[in-house]
Amino acid sequence: MMNATNIGMTLESIRTLLIEDDENILEIGHGNADHLKSILNLAKGLKYTGIDISETMHLESKRLNQKFQDQADFILYEGKKLPFADKTFDKIFTVNTVYFWEDPVGFLNEIYRVLKDEGSFVLTFGQRDFMEKLPFTAYNFKLYNNDEW
């Protein structure tokens, strides 16, 4: 269900990255990663890494994307420190995860650390005014509008 409701935002985020051949891409909070084929079809020689805090999504993404195992890795992590070397990724994106970042500035610094100098980062989230009308956002969501972020 999350994939279906977020797919428009996800595909627009991917489009905004302007992915090119031989790039190393990180997605933070990949969900079931049913959109992986959309990424890998954009250019040649891509390497995708998805990272998520949900064991359910980690296992589901691996199951759904077995045919891409030579180009894609899925990593389960604790949500605070990115387990990668400095300047690893050309492109990084995340969709609808910012609501759960315990230390937004610290996490942005982590993203900056693993992003190559000429890399691109796309952060996509729903605006507070829209999100606060959804019943499930009353539970552990920290909502923002662009000016607050």
Side-chain angles (χ1 to χ4, degrees), residues 46-60:
L46 297 179
K47 176 69 175 145
Y48 169 94
T49 303
I51 191 165
D52 208 295
I53 61 172
S54 166
E55 185 173 2
T56 300
M57 291 297 97
H58 173 72
L59 296 173
E60 183 68 1

Side-chain angles (χ1 to χ4, degrees), residues 33-45:
D34 193 40
H35 55 274
L36 178 57
K37 61 188 163 289
S38 299
I39 295 171
L40 297 178
N41 286 334
L42 291 174
K44 297 175 187 171

